[in-house]
């Protein structure tokens, strides 16, 4: 066990390194590096800290409740308490707060953020076109259903069913974008309010989580850059704690983190001194910009060269650790003192916690304090469900609550570094806003990526989703949680509901005379009505209700106190220390806490049996039951009535890496789609879960679309097959149309184009990005989404589970975008390859037939060719990926496929397959009516 907790700030305890100035590295022995402990399962007795810390903390909390002054009966005045924002109005960032002019002129009293609606000149035409397109769709389907193609009934029926499904899918996707908004933040007001000159910073503490599993697929250098960007963030150092979860219990990750902690002593002061961006050294030194711009310090050039040399030496040391770890010794890894590494067996090892940097011992080269850096590897034992990433994140929630208990949490993937050093301040403008923050469960930032080719062949940037869909949801109840780059309100993760805010009404004469009694009565009535409308399947834990219950009971006897404590321990687990931390709305660790007790309790809460018979993963923390735990976790919060915020600062807050190779990209999309299918067939499906709660109607629309979109792959596959069938059989899905019907068809196509153009206009998404998204929607739909549907059905019906594959985050060392052209065969490539070949065969067959049949056959052919070329154009990036640089084998396969298709098509046209009779160009062939 290393590290100590110092009470440097009241109510806050921080982690520290062993001795100030001592180097944390491989020369430290096992005892000073790791505190590893195996919690004996089934042991009902637990030893707490000296003096019974858990009971002391609990009693302190109860005493605090008893000492609360009696609440005033009169309704609060907004003008007298503008900073509270907890009157009768449900304040939002866009609400015009009624205040005196003198208070509005005070910067410290003004809102920290503002909701900026999209200009009506951009959004109103967009809404009109949506309504118009809906009307045209109704007329179109009326025509399609009332005009069947009698000589091709199966083809016509399949096409109509597919088109109806596409229309429903479009409605689910389109209407949640009805109220798009932008948001502005005011960082200067945040500083004026919470960072007054000459006083300690009042900004809230933030615990930052970084998760990693396999250091060979998630290179330690990538994780190190993420950690360095966190330690150098522009935020008070005593308010930041970084927790790195090593779910693979890898000694490589541990040693790389020790090297990172040592290099941070030099990197952090350099970053803050010269205010560089970004503060991840790999990406800072890789920037192709004028790094002298706006730099006036004469020492900058010298210090930058020195720091770059230090970073290159750091990279060499980390790369040496990676090279050493390639070959695992038969007897496993050993520490410097000869003790075996506790994580040699990744499936059976004790919990491990190491404090690398802390409040009193973690000093940089200039003698300044550094943020806390804690290594965590939860316990794993055979026979237990560990729930992959969701389980690791819940372990971090408990560890951080015991050690630092910051009221807000930021979770990042190991490859997502902080690109904007003020990202935490951006989030605090919402979470610490007195009018808005109490009802916000999380602030989601868009994902931005490095290392993607200029053309973004496979839509890796996903700008249509991040810049259109999520901005639309921000105007309803907030964006969905996308798994990284999200700052959480810890209270929301604990399953509590947001504060109830009744509608504001002006007090009349009677209410002014009898305000006290009427308010209490109405309050009780509103709470009763509120509980009546809450879905019983959505458990709601209101912290205020718990406090009122404790106050009302009085706890005059120890038995009542024990019963309440047991109830919460049944929900949160058998740790009185952790349970006490959940009741502290403003975070922090009790002053009576002993450092040794906290570390001991931290080991206990990451034991593999801690979550048994609790609400973890069911109603608390990251929710289990899907490989896309992010969607499910955000959905549960919105169902309880919380709001989320979408923050898009001018400089992207976070940046990460994305798989640019086609096979890796499809495997990533497969995992996302499989998670959606799992939610679709679970009790948490948005189509039937949470009715009667506080989930808004359009927000539910968005969640339904998020879960059923993989099902679209089935009609999409059928629809993309129809052109080839039509060209080979001579039949078509649409009868000969009249002039009026042709007008409606043209109107439908024009409305589709108009919708896309107006969407791009208000969102700022480029036409190339929009088109790439459309293409990959088809490629991913007929491959990854299709496999996800069948895998999901196998898991639900037959119990056959699929393994989650970590997406590779390897750097591009073989040249610019070398991975883009690397061919990796996977079964996901079979459906799109088949569609491409049969449509090419159909095109060649149709053109060959028209050439042999004469001029009159070209007219009916154009519709079929347009249909086929629509499929081929959407699959073009896939074809280009197969025929890209270094892919000679796939190129040969495609060329031979086209040649064979041509020969087959010519034989198909010249020979009747039913009578094998050679026919001429003016004779009916193969059932085709010329």
């Amino acid at each position: 066990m290393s590290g100590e907790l110092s009470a440097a700030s009241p109510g806050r305890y921080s982690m520290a390194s062993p001795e100030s100035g001592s180097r944390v590295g491989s020369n430290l022995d096992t005892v000073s590096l790791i505190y590893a402990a195996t919690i004996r399962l089934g042991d009902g007795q637990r030893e707490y800290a000296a003096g019974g810390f858990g009971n002391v903390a609990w009693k302190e909390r109860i005493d605090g409740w008893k000492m609360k002054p009696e609440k005033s009966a009169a309704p609060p005045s907004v003008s007298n308490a503008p900073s509270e924002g907890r009157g009768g109005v449900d304040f939002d960032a866009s609400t015009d707060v009624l205040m005196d002019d003198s208070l509005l002129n005070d910067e410290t009293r003004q809102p920290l953020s503002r909701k900026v609606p999209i200009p009506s000149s951009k959004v109103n035409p967009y809404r009109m076109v949506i309504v118009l397109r809906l009307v045209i769709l109704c007329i179109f389907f009326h025509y399609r259903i009332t005009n069947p193609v009698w000589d091709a009934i199966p083809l016509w029926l399949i096409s109509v069913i597919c088109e109806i499904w596409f229309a429903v899918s479009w409605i689910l996707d389109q209407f949640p974008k009805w109220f798009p908004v932008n948001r502005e933040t005011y960082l200067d007001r945040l500083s004026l309010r919470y960072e007054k000159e000459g006083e300690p910073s009042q900004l809230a503490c933030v615990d930052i989580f970084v998760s990693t599993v396999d250091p060979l697929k998630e290179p330690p250098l990538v994780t190190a850059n993420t950690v360095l960007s966190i330690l150098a963030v522009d935020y008070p150092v005593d308010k930041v704690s970084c927790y790195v979860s090593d779910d693979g219990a890898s000694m490589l990750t541990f040693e790389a983190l020790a090297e990172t902690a040592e290099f941070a002593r030099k990197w952090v002061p350099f970053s803050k001194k010269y205010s560089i961006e970004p503060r991840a050294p790999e990406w800072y030194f890789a920037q192709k910009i004028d790094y002298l711009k706006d730099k006036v310090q004469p020492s900058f050039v010298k210090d930058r060269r020195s720091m770059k040399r230090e970073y290159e030496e750091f990279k060499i040391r980390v790369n040496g650790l990676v090279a050493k770890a390639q070959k695992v010794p038969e007897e496993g890894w050993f520490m410097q003192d000869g003790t075996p590494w506790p994580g040699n067996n990744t499936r059976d090892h004790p919990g491990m916690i190491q404090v690398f940097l802390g409040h009193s011992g973690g000093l940089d080269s200039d003698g300044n304090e550094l943020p806390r850096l804690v290594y965590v590897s939860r316990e794993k034992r055979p026979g237990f469900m560990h729930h992959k990433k969701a389980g690791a994140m819940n372990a971090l929630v408990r560890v951080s609550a015991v050690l630092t208990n910051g009221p807000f949490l930021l979770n990042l993937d190991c490859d997502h570094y902080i690109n904007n050093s003020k990202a935490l301040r951006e989030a605090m403008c919402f979470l610490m806003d007195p009018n808005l923050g109490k009802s916000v469960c999380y602030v989601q930032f868009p994902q931005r990526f490095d290392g993607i080719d200029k053309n973004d062949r496979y839509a890796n940037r996903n700008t249509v989703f991040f810049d259109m869909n999520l901005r639309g949801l921000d105007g309803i109840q907030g964006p969905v949680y996308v798994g990284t780059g999200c700052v959480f309100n810890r209270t929301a993760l604990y399953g509590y509901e947001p504060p109830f805010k009744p509608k504001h009404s002006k007090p009349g004469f009677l209410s002014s005379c009898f305000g006290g009694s009427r308010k209490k009565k109405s309050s009780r009535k509103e709470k009763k009505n509120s509980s009546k409308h809450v879905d019983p399947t959505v458990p709601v834990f209101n912290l205020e209700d718990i406090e009122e219950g404790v106050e009302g009971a009085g706890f005059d006897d120890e038995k009542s106190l024990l019963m309440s404590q047991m109830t919460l321990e049944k929900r949160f687990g058998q740790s009185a220390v952790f349970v006490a931390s959940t009741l502290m709305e403003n975070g922090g660790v009790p002053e009576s806490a002993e450092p040794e007790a906290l570390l001991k309790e931290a080991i206990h809460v990451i034991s593999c049996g801690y979550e048994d018979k609790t609400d973890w993963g069911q109603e608390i923390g990251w929710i289990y039951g899907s490989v896309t735990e992010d969607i499910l976790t955000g959905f549960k919060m919105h169902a309880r009535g919380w709001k989320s915020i979408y923050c898009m600062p001018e400089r992207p807050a976070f940046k990460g890496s994305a798989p640019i190779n086609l096979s890796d990209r499809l495997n990533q999309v497969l995992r996302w789609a499989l998670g959606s299918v799992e939610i679709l067939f679970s009790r948490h499906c948005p189509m039937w879960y949470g009715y009667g709660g506080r989930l808004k109607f359009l927000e539910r629309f968005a969640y339904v679309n998020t879960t059923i979109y993989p099902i679209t792959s089935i009609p999409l596959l059928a629809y993309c097959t129809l052109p080839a069938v039509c060209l080979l059989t001579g039949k078509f899905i649409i009868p000969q149309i009249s002039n009026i019907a042709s007008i409606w068809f043209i109107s439908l196509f024009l409305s589709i184009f108009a919708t896309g153009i107006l969407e791009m206009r208000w969102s700022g998404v480029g036409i190339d990005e929009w088109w790439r998204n459309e293409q990959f929607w088809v490629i991913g739909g007929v491959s990854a989404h299709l496999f996800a549907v069948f895998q999901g059905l196998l898991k639900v019906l037959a119990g056959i589970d699929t393994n989650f594959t970590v997406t590779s985050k390897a750097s591009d060392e073989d040249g610019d975008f070398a991975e883009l052209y690397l061919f990796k065969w996977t079964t996901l490539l079979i459906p799109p390859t088949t569609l491409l070949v049969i449509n090419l065969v159909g095109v060649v067959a149709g053109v060959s037939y028209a050439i042999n049949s004469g001029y009159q056959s070209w007219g009916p052919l154009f519709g079929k060719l347009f249909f086929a070329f629509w499929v081929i154009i959407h699959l073009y990036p896939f074809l280009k990926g197969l025929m890209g640089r270094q892919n000679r084998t796939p190129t040969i396969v495609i060329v031979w496929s086209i040649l064979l298709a041509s020969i087959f098509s010519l034989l198909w046209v010249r020979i009747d397959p039913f009578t094998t009779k050679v026919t001429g160009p003016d004779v009916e062939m193969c059932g085709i009516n010329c």
Side-chain angles (χ1 to χ4, degrees), residues 32 108 313 448 452 673 773 841 866:
S32 64
T108 61
E313 293 175 357
R448 302 295 187 228
I452 298 177
N773 183 80
V841 170
F866 174 80

Side-chain angles (χ1 to χ4, degrees), residues 447-491:
Q447 292 186 22
R448 302 295 187 228
F449 302 99
D450 289 312
I452 298 177
D453 60 303
K454 181 180 179 181
N455 296 323
D456 192 13
R457 181 184 297 177
Y458 305 121
N460 284 281
R461 292 190 178 92
N462 215 357
T463 50
V464 171
F465 174 74
F466 288 114
D467 292 6
M468 284 187 187
N469 296 63
L470 294 191
R471 287 170 69 185
L473 288 175
D474 198 20
I476 305 173
Q477 197 174 344
V480 298
Y481 168 42
V482 299
T484 184
C486 186
V487 183
F488 284 95
N489 184 339
R490 189 184 283 268
T491 303

Side-chain angles (χ1 to χ4, degrees), residues 651-835:
R651 179 179 179 86
F654 310 99
K655 279 191 175 182
S657 60
I660 61 176
N661 177 266
L662 176 60
S663 300
D664 292 339
R665 170 73 165 139
L666 289 177
N667 277 293
Q668 183 187 56
V669 173
L670 170 64
R671 183 175 69 87
W672 296 342
L674 178 59
S676 295
V677 174
E678 290 173 343
I679 298 174
L680 178 64
F681 294 112
S682 71
R683 72 183 187 93
H684 292 115
C685 179
M687 287 189 288
W688 53 72
Y689 181 84
Y691 283 98
R694 299 179 181 179
L695 186 67
K696 294 187 177 180
F697 182 71
L698 288 180
E699 191 80 10
R700 183 181 298 277
F701 252 47
Y703 275 109
V704 170
N705 183 53
T706 302
T707 55
I708 71 166
Y709 77 89
I711 305 297
T712 308
S713 60
I714 297 176
L716 182 61
L717 180 66
Y719 209 69
C720 290
T721 308
L722 288 177
V725 177
C726 292
L727 285 166
L728 292 174
T729 61
K731 303 182 184 298
F732 200 41
I733 59 175
I734 299 175
Q736 186 175 1
I737 60 177
S738 62
N739 292 334
I740 297 178
S742 62
I743 292 175
W744 292 117
F745 274 82
I746 294 173
S747 300
L748 179 61
F749 284 114
L750 290 177
S751 66
I752 293 173
F753 292 137
T755 305
I757 292 171
L758 293 175
E759 271 186 343
M760 290 183 281
R761 183 167 175 253
W762 66 254
S763 66
V765 175
I767 189 172
D768 54 339
E769 296 172 319
W770 179 83
W771 175 239
R772 291 300 186 197
N773 183 80
E774 292 294 312
Q775 288 179 312
F776 194 78
W777 175 75
V778 176
I779 296 172
V782 299
S783 56
H785 296 172
L786 184 67
F787 277 72
V789 172
F790 289 108
Q791 288 186 12
L793 290 174
L794 285 174
K795 183 174 181 180
V796 172
L797 300 179
I800 301 176
D801 199 358
T802 55
N803 293 325
F804 160 59
T805 303
V806 178
T807 306
S808 176
K809 278 89 175 178
S811 58
D812 189 10
E813 298 177 354
D814 299 328
D816 292 339
F817 314 119
E819 189 182 353
L820 176 65
Y821 307 102
L822 182 63
F823 181 76
K824 299 178 183 178
W825 176 256
T826 174
T827 52
L828 296 176
L829 301 178
I830 295 176
T833 304
T834 305
L835 283 177

Side-chain angles (χ1 to χ4, degrees), residues 427-440:
M428 292 305 112
C429 285
F430 301 103
L431 294 169
M432 296 188 70
D433 190 304
N435 295 332
L436 178 64
K438 292 295 183 180
S439 61
V440 175

Side-chain angles (χ1 to χ4, degrees), residues 165-354:
W165 180 267
F166 295 152
V168 173
S169 179
W170 171 77
I171 291 173
L172 292 175
D173 178 71
Q174 199 69 58
F175 279 92
K177 295 182 281 189
W178 191 263
F179 302 104
V181 296
N182 293 319
R183 293 188 184 268
E184 290 181 354
T185 56
Y186 304 103
L187 301 181
D188 52 344
R189 296 179 185 175
L190 180 74
S191 297
L192 286 172
R193 179 173 294 184
Y194 295 108
E195 293 183 301
K196 297 180 180 179
E197 189 175 357
E199 299 180 8
S201 174
Q202 298 300 315
L203 290 174
C205 293
V206 182
D207 295 335
I208 304 177
F209 300 161
V210 179
S211 57
T212 181
V213 180
D214 187 352
L216 299 181
K217 291 185 177 180
E218 300 167 326
L221 194 61
V222 174
T223 305
N225 273 271
T226 300
V227 172
L228 290 169
S229 69
I230 293 171
L231 298 178
V233 71
D234 183 7
Y235 206 76
V237 293
D238 60 323
K239 307 288 186 179
V240 177
S241 300
C242 178
Y243 293 83
V244 179
S245 170
D246 178 16
D247 219 30
S250 171
M251 188 173 177
L252 172 58
T253 302
F254 181 84
E255 291 186 337
L257 204 60
E259 291 287 351
T260 304
E262 187 64 23
F263 178 71
R265 302 175 190 271
K266 304 173 184 177
W267 171 254
V268 172
F270 169 79
S271 302
K272 293 185 175 181
K273 179 180 179 180
Y274 297 108
S275 302
I276 64 171
E277 296 284 0
R279 298 187 179 179
E282 182 70 24
W283 298 106
Y284 170 69
F285 290 120
Q287 291 181 114
K288 298 179 181 178
I289 61 172
D290 181 13
Y291 63 84
L292 296 177
K293 186 178 180 181
D294 300 329
K295 296 294 185 294
V296 296
Q297 298 96 324
S299 60
F300 173 69
V301 175
K302 181 181 178 180
D303 289 348
R304 186 182 186 276
R305 289 174 181 171
S306 175
M307 185 53 57
K308 187 174 183 180
R309 183 172 61 252
E310 292 281 354
Y311 177 64
E312 290 172 350
E313 293 175 357
F314 165 72
K315 288 178 65 175
I316 293 296
R317 293 195 297 271
V318 174
N319 290 337
L321 294 174
V322 174
K324 180 182 177 182
Q326 297 298 320
K327 187 176 181 181
V328 181
E330 293 182 1
E331 63 277 7
W333 297 107
F334 287 85
M335 303 296 291
Q336 291 294 321
D337 63 349
T339 306
W341 168 252
N344 278 327
N345 187 345
T346 57
R347 298 183 179 181
D348 187 2
H349 64 84
M352 295 178 281
I353 293 178
Q354 163 64 33

